[in-house]
Amino acid sequence: MSTKKITSPFFKQCFVTGAVCGNLAGHGCIIGFPAILLSQLRERDSEITLTEDEGSWIASVLGITILIGNFMTPPLMERFGRKPAHLAVTLPILAGWVTIIFAGGFKALIIGRILQGLSFGMILPLGSVLVGEYTSPKNRGGFLMTVSWAQTFGIFFVHLIGSLISWRKTGIVCIVFSLGSLLMILYSPESPSWLASRGRYDECKKVFRWLRGDDEDEELEKMIQSRVVSEKVTRKKVTTSLVIEVIKKREFIIPIVLMVHANAMMQFAGGTTMAAYSTTIISMIMGPSASAHFWMVALDAQRLLFNTIAVYVIDKMKRRTMMFLTGGVSVLSHVAIAGYVYGKVHGMITSESVWIPALLVNIQFLSLATGMVPLPTVIAGEVFPLAYRGLGGSISVVSIAAFVFVALKTFPALVSSINLHGTYLVYSAVLTYNLIVIYYLLPETKGKTLQEIEDEFKGAKRNEIDHVELGDSVNGITNKEDEVVDSKINETEVLKSKECA
């Protein structure tokens, strides 16, 4: 590889995205690990025995601890920066793997899973933000897709390795992802958006041009000018009335409502339940004669393949088109699987062939890999305004944690009470509802800068927004403060003129 290619902006964006993806691959491993762990612990010669309820807690405790980790990340990423927050993410997952590797019983296993869930909660609001701020709008969709791809690869990897070796050795192998990511983070720069929000404009320009080259200076200047102007608003004393005023803003509330429904769709489309209970679900759909471990790895490989293709497809196609195309396929596949299982249970289908149920499950995985799982991640990296990105991402992750816990904890109970076909019908209804809400809230974001997307949620043009935000509605700002901000704007324009010269 030539030196010019290695030092190109695209390669640098690949490197910083790779640091995020390495970490997310490790977190994908912790999602898929229960399928390996619980399966091996059910064997007669297992050194550790668990009850059915303890097993469900091993799988679902991530949902609770994600909440805790979620609230730790925003203050870290806003106060200290994206890079220190990313470094902090790796510590709990490393500790969690070590605890599980040396576990002697249920208590140690649950502690290890709690630590892993804490790390998972910390990276969820951070991963998409990092990739969204590091990468160029023309490639951002593809880079954000790699976030989902990395997580999918982690699930595939842990299922594959866990089918060949013991769960302890599997943990030793999986810890390598987090260690590798830790080294890459050390050589990654701070986010230019965060540097701009802190008024460190010289550093912002240096990092931005290191990542993007000199062809996107227009976005750089708009970002800096927007942050300079917004200083007037951020000088206001934080009060209850101000918080209420922020919550009422279109650019704050619409992305949050949108992401809550997108995250619900992601979990109930089957991504989480298939990762944690894959062998159980496959046996119930395909029958006891099918090799559950073989089909688990085969389906994971198929999911990884389609996730790879989706990196290209989503980067080329409009977000809304992909969302409703894959969403419709997901709903139909759930209804078809429910109908097939119902027919088998009631003797309407007597064929013992595994190819019909295998085809239906493959279609479900197709919708998961190309849209239901990656698209919410892509959208999360685009829709939150910079001023509320930490808070908005945090609230979004609360919904992820809640839906992960509900999906994993209630799945065994739902199957026991209304059988698998009833469970799939419930999921199809949930997916349909979420798609309807998303239809009315999701704008087209492909090819737009983060500032343009923010302006669209505000429902006005940039100059109109600035006029409203800096007008009479903003109280308590003195004429002296106005002069300071105006002088900063003038300085920015002078710098821009000098650079152009």
Side-chain angles (χ1 to χ4, degrees):
M1 187 180 291
S2 66
T3 304
K4 184 176 180 181
K5 191 171 183 180
I6 291 176
T7 57
S8 69
F10 180 77
F11 183 86
K12 292 172 182 176
Q13 291 174 44
C14 288
F15 179 80
V16 294
T17 302
V20 179
C21 290
N23 221 335
L24 284 163
H27 287 83
C29 290
I30 71 176
I31 296 173
F33 188 65
I36 299 302
L37 176 66
L38 299 179
S39 176
Q40 294 188 16
L41 293 186
R42 291 192 190 103
E43 297 175 359
R44 291 183 179 180
D45 58 346
S46 173
E47 57 187 293
I48 300 174
T49 56
L50 299 177
T51 65
E52 196 68 32
D53 186 58
E54 287 174 338
S56 69
W57 276 109
I58 291 289
S60 64
V61 72
L62 289 182
I64 299 174
T65 50
I66 281 173
L67 287 173
I68 303 171
N70 166 60
F71 287 114
M72 294 173 64
T73 301
L76 284 174
M77 63 190 288
E78 295 301 330
R79 182 173 181 180
F80 299 105
R82 305 334 191 201
K83 181 176 178 178
H86 198 189
L87 286 168
V89 165
T90 61
L91 302 180
I93 191 172
L94 290 172
W97 278 124
V98 171
T99 304
I100 288 174
I101 291 166
F102 293 99
F106 171 72
K107 289 183 179 179
L109 288 173
I110 201 72
I111 290 172
R113 293 291 288 172
I114 287 171
L115 289 169
Q116 291 178 336
L118 188 68
S119 179
F120 199 3
M122 292 175 71
I123 201 170
L124 281 176
L126 180 63
S128 295
V129 169
L130 276 171
V131 177
E133 293 181 354
Y134 278 142
T135 57
S136 171
K138 60 185 178 183
N139 299 315
R140 190 176 60 226
F143 278 119
L144 284 169
M145 270 296 303
T146 62
V147 171
S148 174
W149 185 92
Q151 189 170 298
T152 300
F153 176 78
I155 295 171
F156 163 75
F157 184 83
V158 74
H159 284 172
L160 176 62
I161 297 299
S163 298
L164 303 173
I165 59 179
S166 71
W167 58 269
R168 291 188 193 276
K169 292 179 180 177
T170 301
I172 294 172
V173 174
C174 291
I175 202 172
V176 173
F177 286 109
S178 299
L179 289 173
S181 177
L182 182 63
L183 292 175
M184 294 180 74
I185 296 168
L186 293 174
Y187 290 96
S188 297
E190 182 53 83
S191 159
S193 294
W194 183 82
L195 291 171
S197 71
R198 292 295 173 178
R200 294 158 62 175
Y201 301 122
D202 290 338
E203 294 176 69
C204 170
K205 290 180 179 181
K206 183 178 179 181
V207 173
F208 187 94
R209 287 172 180 148
W210 184 84
L211 286 167
R212 309 278 194 91
D214 299 324
D215 298 332
E216 299 181 21
D217 278 4
E218 184 178 352
E219 181 185 348
L220 171 63
E221 295 303 332
K222 284 182 179 179
M223 178 175 64
I224 292 177
Q225 207 164 23
S226 175
R227 293 316 119 198
V228 171
V229 171
S230 69
E231 287 182 11
K232 275 190 173 184
V233 179
T234 56
R235 282 199 189 98
K236 293 173 69 178
K237 185 179 180 180
V238 177
T239 61
T240 302
S241 60
L242 180 59
V243 172
I244 294 173
E245 181 183 336
V246 169
I247 292 174
K248 289 180 178 179
K249 289 187 176 182
R250 283 173 52 87
E251 67 271 22
F252 177 80
I253 193 66
I254 294 179
I256 287 176
V257 175
L258 170 64
M259 287 312 305
V260 167
H261 286 81
N263 291 332
M265 183 186 64
M266 183 201 308
Q267 302 307 324
F268 289 100
T272 303
T273 50
M274 284 298 290
Y277 298 114
S278 53
T279 52
T280 301
I281 295 173
I282 290 169
S283 296
M284 295 181 73
I285 295 176
M286 298 186 181
S289 61
S291 173
H293 282 283
F294 167 79
W295 282 105
M296 174 182 68
V297 175
L299 289 168
D300 284 339
Q302 181 248 44
R303 180 176 173 179
L304 185 63
L305 173 63
F306 282 119
N307 228 168
T308 305
I309 296 172
V311 172
Y312 175 80
V313 174
I314 289 183
D315 196 42
K316 299 298 180 183
M317 291 184 66
K318 293 182 177 180
R319 307 287 191 260
R320 284 178 60 88
T321 302
M322 284 296 295
M323 175 66 74
F324 299 113
L325 179 61
T326 57
V329 172
S330 183
V331 171
L332 291 175
S333 68
H334 275 73
V335 173
I337 291 173
Y340 177 83
V341 174
Y342 181 86
K344 289 287 288 186
V345 171
H346 291 83
M348 299 175 186
I349 299 175
T350 57
S351 173
E352 296 299 324
S353 173
V354 299
W355 295 109
I356 295 176
L359 176 62
L360 295 177
V361 175
N362 270 272
I363 293 173
Q364 180 192 359
F365 266 63
L366 171 64
S367 68
L368 280 173
T370 56
M372 294 296 92
V373 172
L375 275 172
T377 305
V378 172
I379 294 168
E382 296 180 327
V383 298
F384 289 117
L386 179 60
Y388 317 121
R389 196 161 293 163
L391 178 59
S394 182
I395 295 173
S396 176
V397 174
V398 169
S399 69
I400 292 178
F403 295 132
V404 166
F405 178 75
V406 170
L408 293 179
K409 187 62 179 169
T410 62
F411 180 79
L414 279 173
V415 172
S416 297
S417 59
I418 59 176
N419 298 314
L420 186 66
H421 56 268
T423 303
Y424 265 65
L425 281 178
V426 170
Y427 286 178
S428 66
V430 172
L431 289 172
T432 302
Y433 160 74
N434 284 295
L435 282 172
I436 292 171
V437 174
I438 291 170
Y439 177 83
Y440 289 102
L441 297 182
L442 177 64
E444 185 52 62
T445 59
K446 182 183 181 301
K448 296 180 180 178
T449 67
L450 299 181
Q451 191 64 56
E452 288 171 341
I453 296 168
E454 179 177 339
D455 293 347
E456 187 166 347
F457 277 118
K458 287 180 177 179
K461 295 179 181 178
R462 181 74 246 167
N463 58 355
E464 293 173 348
I465 295 165
D466 291 341
H467 177 74
V468 171
E469 286 184 346
L470 304 180
D472 294 335
S473 60
V474 180
N475 298 319
I477 301 177
T478 64
N479 291 331
K480 185 177 180 180
E481 287 174 323
D482 288 338
E483 291 172 4
V484 171
V485 174
D486 290 339
S487 67
K488 286 188 176 182
I489 295 174
N490 290 332
E491 287 173 12
T492 303
E493 299 205 351
V494 168
L495 285 171
K496 182 178 178 181
S497 299
K498 287 181 179 179
E499 288 169 3
C500 292

